[in-house]
Amino acid sequence: MEKHCTDSRVKGVSTGTTILAAIFDGGVVIGSDSRASMGGEYVSSKTINKVIQVHDRIFCCMAGSLADAQAVIKSAKFHLSFHSVQMESPPQVIAAASVLKDLCYKNKDELQAGFLTAGWDKKNGPQVYVVSLGGMLISQQVTIGGSGSTYIYGYVDAKYKPNMTKEECLQFATNALALAMGRDNVSGGVAHLVVITEKGVEHVVVPGDKLPKFHDE
Amino acid sequence: MALANVFETPAPGFNFDNAGRNAALNGLFDGGKTPKPMKTGTTIAGVVFKDGVVLGADTRATSGEVVADKMCAKIHYISPNIYCCGAGTAADTEKTTDLLSSNLTIYSLNSGRNPRVVMAVNILQDMLYRYHGQIGANLILGGVDCTGNHLYTVEPYGSVNKVPYLSMGSGDLAALGILEDGFKPDLELEPAKELVRAAIQAGIMNDLGSGNNIDICVITKQGVDYIRPYRESQFKDKRKTKYKYPPGATPILTEKVVPLKLDVVQETVQKMETA
């Protein structure tokens, strides 16, 4: 009981996690679980929010050290806000991803945080970007991240289809998160999902007991 | 240069200077043991109820195996509507909350507004993150402002979480059990106070680093009720004798007076300008 709270030299709370983002016809779904753990054995929060809004139509999911990720996102929010005031228009999704990439790459020695950025902008429509631990930035149609993602690569590869409807994509995302949470001990809690389209932003929260159940549960 | 009524953000980017300083300091001890800071084994808890926030803490401060302070105050004042419980390294929690309190006072004098809880949390997060976990302060911030009743936790590395109920410190797991069982949204005042008291009591009973009395702080829109102590320890001892001696208890046998001879060496006169 002593070890998890008195030693602040331990890297601190980390989001062993499952995060995902997927493009559908007309928008994008981004989602995560809600567990924050310390050392893989103590759940320090069952309801942490890992899907953060960085601008009106741009959301980010964080993975890695919670403190590092929150600090980077704070800085990114400020930079994006400033950028959009200067440009007098909403930022593009790639701008948000680039800001995160810059922070992760320039401070790669000290930081331990990775992100998924998803959003909608007028020029390129719905987009998903991955910023990895060392600061790599790539664009993908569907992407998963975090420790729980290893258990659902097969599911995502088999089940994702481009140009799904919103409902199909939401079901796909919920299933994927539920499967990962079922196998990864550091992912769990509720499934937070956000649907971003040209019209606006919709939050969907699926509590643990309403998650889809599979054959062995 | 920001205006005085906007809290000044520190220089952009991350500052890891102190990490290098710490590595260098470690080298000075030649592989021997670096001095350990005093930690207050502690149980602190907070609960959001219908009309505000209740914060609770035990009052024991330990220095190794000895109880250094039996009536230590762990609920710190931040602003008239925000209080903060601190666990971890005693000096860190004291100084961090003092610094935060002074800065927020200056800010609210300049801007004419009462600080919001989320502002205090952001400042703490920035400060703790900047020091990369070297400041060992686990804090529970609770307060009531124009946007509602809030309870936040800030951890040493700078991660923040907004929660309806929470406990921290070495007795946190014992207290958390009570909170998980008894918490309901929109509790009334008396059940909320009783829940926090029971949580701290569990921490005191099951953790060696927590003990003595229980302090409670109730924050509502109407004001703050800082009840110290809310419950006294049932195991208070009655001292059989006192260690204070009345004047004249020690008889004087002899007395010798030696006057000191002092000469004036130099005299300067400075007229005060009172025009």
Side-chain angles (χ1 to χ4, degrees), chain B residues 1-264:
Chain B
M1 184 69 191
L3 295 173
N5 63 344
V6 173
F7 196 79
E8 190 173 324
T9 43
F14 300 117
N15 183 345
F16 294 100
D17 294 342
N18 283 333
R21 172 207 72 175
N22 292 338
L25 277 177
N26 265 327
L28 283 179
F29 287 91
D30 277 335
K33 283 197 342 196
T34 46
K36 287 193 90 89
M38 176 179 111
K39 290 176 178 269
T40 53
T42 268
T43 308
I44 50 177
V47 159
V48 174
F49 72 102
K50 199 174 85 174
D51 305 315
V53 177
V54 179
L55 298 173
D58 73 304
T59 61
R60 174 178 288 182
T62 49
S63 179
E65 268 72 53
V66 179
V67 175
D69 189 351
K70 289 179 278 191
M71 200 49 183
C72 155
K74 299 185 191 175
I75 307 185
H76 309 283
Y77 166 87
I78 303 287
S79 80
N81 58 330
I82 306 173
Y83 276 72
C84 175
C85 301
T89 307
D92 287 346
T93 57
E94 280 283 337
K95 280 306 167 194
T96 307
T97 47
D98 269 353
L99 207 59
L100 176 65
S101 174
S102 334
N103 282 329
L104 279 183
T105 312
I106 295 176
Y107 162 80
S108 64
L109 284 170
N110 279 323
S111 66
R113 290 169 123 182
N114 251 342
R116 295 191 187 183
V117 186
V118 69
M119 179 180 190
V121 169
N122 277 319
I123 296 169
L124 274 177
Q125 176 174 42
D126 287 342
M127 185 189 327
L128 291 176
Y129 185 74
R130 182 159 277 279
Y131 286 96
H132 218 45
Q134 303 297 322
I135 296 186
N138 276 294
L139 304 165
I140 298 186
L141 246 122
V144 175
D145 59 29
C146 56
T147 55
N149 316 322
H150 306 287
L151 188 69
Y152 285 89
T153 166
V154 186
E155 263 134 44
Y157 270 87
S159 54
V160 161
N161 196 6
K162 182 173 201 305
V163 278
Y165 61 88
L166 180 66
S167 71
M168 296 209 101
S170 55
D172 66 347
L173 291 180
L176 202 56
I178 302 287
L179 289 174
E180 290 278 13
D181 189 43
F183 178 81
K184 280 184 275 297
D186 293 328
L187 281 166
E188 294 290 337
L189 174 60
E190 287 308 319
K193 274 158 77 173
E194 178 50 31
L195 180 64
V196 174
R197 184 213 62 81
I200 305 291
Q201 182 76 20
I204 288 175
M205 284 300 162
N206 296 291
D207 176 43
L208 295 176
S210 308
N212 298 94
N213 306 326
I214 302 177
D215 287 348
I216 292 262
C217 181
V218 182
I219 311 168
T220 54
K221 232 198 278 200
Q222 283 73 40
V224 172
D225 193 11
Y226 193 157
I227 313 167
R228 179 172 150 77
Y230 180 68
R231 274 287 184 282
E232 294 207 316
S233 158
Q234 303 124 293
F235 306 99
K236 256 178 99 143
D237 213 356
K238 273 207 74 166
R239 288 251 169 82
K240 311 263 185 332
T241 43
K242 284 202 145 75
Y243 290 100
K244 265 194 151 141
Y245 297 94
T250 312
I252 297 175
L253 299 176
T254 49
E255 199 174 307
K256 181 175 176 186
V257 178
V258 179
L260 281 173
K261 283 190 59 172
L262 294 170
D263 297 322
V264 176

Side-chain angles (χ1 to χ4, degrees), chain A residues 1-2 4-13 38 42-49 65-72 74-75 79 103 107 110-111, chain B residues 14 16 37 39 121-123 125-126 129 132-136 138 155-163 165 169-174 176 180 206-207:
Chain A
M1 193 149 103
E2 274 277 64
H4 77 266
C5 56
T6 50
D7 190 358
S8 64
R9 266 128 191 85
V10 170
K11 186 55 176 159
V13 179
M38 229 189 261
Y42 175 65
V43 176
S44 67
S45 175
K46 299 176 275 191
T47 53
I48 200 97
N49 182 21
S65 153
L66 188 58
D68 287 347
Q70 285 183 341
V72 170
K74 244 186 167 182
S75 184
H79 282 299
L103 289 166
N107 296 292
E110 286 95 5
L111 290 176
Chain B
F14 300 117
F16 294 100
K39 290 176 178 269
V121 169
N122 277 319
I123 296 169
Q125 176 174 42
D126 287 342
Y129 185 74
H132 218 45
Q134 303 297 322
I135 296 186
N138 276 294
E155 263 134 44
Y157 270 87
S159 54
V160 161
N161 196 6
K162 182 173 201 305
V163 278
Y165 61 88
S170 55
D172 66 347
L173 291 180
L176 202 56
E180 290 278 13
N206 296 291
D207 176 43

Side-chain angles (χ1 to χ4, degrees), chain A residues 74-85:
Chain A
K74 244 186 167 182
S75 184
K77 253 186 176 172
F78 161 74
H79 282 299
L80 266 182
S81 176
F82 188 67
H83 168 70
S84 95
V85 165

Side-chain angles (χ1 to χ4, degrees), chain A residues 38-202:
Chain A
M38 229 189 261
E41 58 194 25
Y42 175 65
V43 176
S44 67
S45 175
K46 299 176 275 191
T47 53
I48 200 97
N49 182 21
K50 301 181 205 178
V51 187
I52 313 282
Q53 182 164 27
V54 293
H55 209 266
D56 295 349
R57 294 276 190 285
I58 310 175
F59 279 72
C60 284
C61 257
M62 49 171 134
S65 153
L66 188 58
D68 287 347
Q70 285 183 341
V72 170
I73 288 213
K74 244 186 167 182
S75 184
K77 253 186 176 172
F78 161 74
H79 282 299
L80 266 182
S81 176
F82 188 67
H83 168 70
S84 95
V85 165
Q86 278 190 323
M87 301 291 271
E88 291 188 12
S89 87
Q92 305 212 335
V93 186
I94 189 157
S98 293
V99 167
L100 289 170
K101 173 215 71 185
D102 224 46
L103 289 166
C104 289
Y105 183 75
K106 295 232 164 80
N107 296 292
K108 64 161 75 177
D109 293 335
E110 286 95 5
L111 290 176
Q112 221 176 58
F115 301 92
L116 292 188
T117 310
W120 182 94
D121 64 44
K122 204 156 135 187
K123 186 167 174 198
N124 296 73
Q127 297 145 77
V128 166
Y129 293 92
V130 184
V131 176
S132 70
L133 232 56
M136 170 186 79
L137 168 63
I138 56 173
S139 165
Q140 295 193 297
Q141 289 280 304
V142 62
T143 185
I144 48 180
S147 57
S149 64
T150 51
Y151 304 99
I152 51 173
Y153 272 106
Y155 179 79
V156 169
D157 287 344
K159 288 294 182 178
Y160 177 75
K161 293 184 304 295
N163 293 328
M164 286 191 276
T165 64
K166 182 180 107 171
E167 288 67 32
E168 282 176 341
C169 197
L170 262 176
Q171 189 59 49
F172 159 77
T174 316
N175 286 345
L177 284 175
L179 284 165
M181 289 196 253
R183 287 291 183 184
D184 183 25
N185 70 321
V186 285
S187 299
V190 309
H192 282 297
L193 291 154
V194 175
V195 183
I196 311 164
T197 55
E198 175 175 6
K199 293 192 193 54
V201 162
E202 190 193 321

